[in-house]
Amino acid sequence: MDNDFQDETIEDSSAEYNEDTTYQDEHPGLIGIVYGDVGTAELKCSVMAPLEKGEYVQVPHESCGPVLGQVDRMERKTNLSVDKAIKMSQGELMDIQEKVLAEITIIGYRDEQGLLQTPRAPFKAGSPVTRADDELITKVIGIKCGEKTGAFIGMLSGHDIPILLDINDMVSKHVSILAKTGGGKSYVTGVLVEELLKHDATVMVIDPHGEYGSLRDPGTPSEYAEKFGIHPRGYADQIAEFSPDTKTNKDAKPLRFTLGNLEARDIISLTNVKNVRQALPALKKVLEMIKATKPTFSMKDIIRTLEAQEDAQNVNLIQELLYLDDINIFAERGTKLDELVQKGKMTILNLKGTAPDIAGLIVNRVLTSLFEMRKINAIPPMLVVVDEAVNYCPQQGSTAASKIIRTIAAEGRKFGLGMVVITQRAAKIDKNVLSQCGTQIILKITNPLDLKAVISSVEGLTAGTTEEIQQLPLGIAIVCGAGLQVPLFIRVRPRETRHGGENVKIIED
Ligand SMILES: Nc1ncnc2c1ncn2[C@@H]1O[C@H](COP(=O)(O)OP(=O)(O)OP(=O)(O)O)[C@@H](O)[C@H]1O
Ligand SMILES: [Mg+2]
């Protein structure tokens, strides 16, 4: 509907607020009237009451009943020319005639079978356009998830309609949370996790900055939160935190791995060994020797056995293994999976202070175990939340965890292992992973490359949405997928718990 407003002649501005009160009396909540050439999927409306882009409206259709639409574009047409504007700036009084016009995109109506339909014949010019009632919106856009399985993440923007995302759907179809830095990804993830815990879902969060431990603590009460029915509370009794670095992360239990489960190649991939061709067979040989005599062994055992070979070529390998030993993530007895994952609880894998290569290996080991255990139903169906996912599954290059994340994205559904992928760089994350996510929560994004990646990987988003994503205020998200007919703008609900990712201030206010 480009240039649709151009042919309109400007009439008296009183047209904006129609003096014909009888028409308005007949149609309570009237905001405009359909005019001009009318289609079945879109129409134009002369606006008579305050209205904003994105608002839901309803228009009666002679054979379909009330049909839901959304304001797509608005324009105030005036007869103020440049010359007149200049005169006005010089103090001359001007009589400005204007009217407000809106373009409405038709979303549709539900037929007797509950299927979403759009009219097959055009609407009538002169039809009244009124603000949509909540019942029609709820019915048409497909918000049907109940409280039993639904995660309450916020309210439909401009309405008091709660938006609930189906938790079972999240497990089977994955979720992506996309926004620029400081856009509110971790905040909304916190909201999601609170809901998961409230529903006794099993969750693991890969937490690169140690932000999620704050879910133990209640947030501060506020009138705003009350409006959402949100009261501060903590989830301490449902949270277990593990970290390879318990010196930095004092609330966490130590996370350790059994060396016996690692291949020589895995160990080498954690090092900066210069001559891999020499080091790999040397390490393989030593591992075989040790495994033949000891069921459990430590890094020190490997180093000692290598030293005993008295081979000058092993010096570099030994140095690298000494570094790994220092990091202290290997032990004769590793952390058991049933300790790590408990039904109805959240496990935080706190990787704050852990070097990126080691973090990659840890994520790989843990996710591989989860996937294998889910296959044999040894752990409950669960969701894994991967914050800063680009660290583990970049589009360019790979990390130790790339493969398993791609596998869970593609096959997790079959085994009840869902993923919530969070990133500030949609353009830099593995597209295979992003495209497998059936629900997207999009907050403000401004980087053109990231915007392009989001628009191209998310069904139902149009190029027109690009501008809106760039302008989203903090706390407003676009939710797509999740069984919804159209992307929804939602006001993210306040947190029950303290948000651990607060912006750091240099001056206290
Ligand atoms: N819905 C919201 N309501 C109120 N404050 C919010 C909301 N979302 C985010 N904030 C505030 O905005 C700041 C940044 O939010 P958050 O930590 O979630 O960003 P992020 O997208 O995770 O950033 P990064 O990519 O740097 O990790 C925080 O101070 C947080 O309290
Ligand atoms: Mg964050």
Side-chain angles (χ1 to χ4, degrees), residues 286-312:
V286 164
L287 279 180
E288 272 164 28
M289 283 166 63
I290 301 175
K291 279 179 184 172
T293 53
K294 286 178 123 185
T296 57
F297 53 92
S298 69
M299 186 59 82
K300 287 200 174 55
D301 291 324
I302 302 178
I303 295 168
R304 254 182 252 123
T305 320
L306 268 171
E307 281 172 340
Q309 310 266 297
E310 293 187 352
D311 184 341

Side-chain angles (χ1 to χ4, degrees), residues 179-188 209 211 224 387-388 422-424 443 474-476 492-494 499-503:
K180 64 186 284 183
T181 174
K185 298 180 295 296
S186 302
Y187 190 98
V188 74
H209 305 303
E211 286 177 0
Y224 182 65
D387 205 343
E388 309 283 9
I422 305 165
T423 184
Q424 45 172 271
L443 300 129
L474 188 66
I476 302 285
V492 175
R493 76 152 171 80
H499 176 44
E502 290 295 335
N503 292 339

Side-chain angles (χ1 to χ4, degrees), residues 345-402:
K345 303 218 162 139
M346 165 165 86
T347 311
I348 301 172
L349 213 61
N350 186 343
L351 297 172
K352 186 174 175 182
T354 304
D357 49 354
I358 309 290
L361 177 98
I362 291 173
V363 171
N364 178 37
R365 297 279 344 145
V366 171
L367 295 192
T368 306
S369 314
L370 292 193
F371 188 60
E372 295 307 321
M373 292 298 159
R374 262 317 299 153
K375 274 185 176 168
I376 55 168
N377 212 10
I379 52 171
M382 63 182 291
L383 262 168
V384 180
V385 177
V386 189
D387 205 343
E388 309 283 9
V390 78
N391 292 351
Y392 311 109
C393 52
Q395 173 73 10
Q396 300 269 319
S398 63
T399 75
S402 293

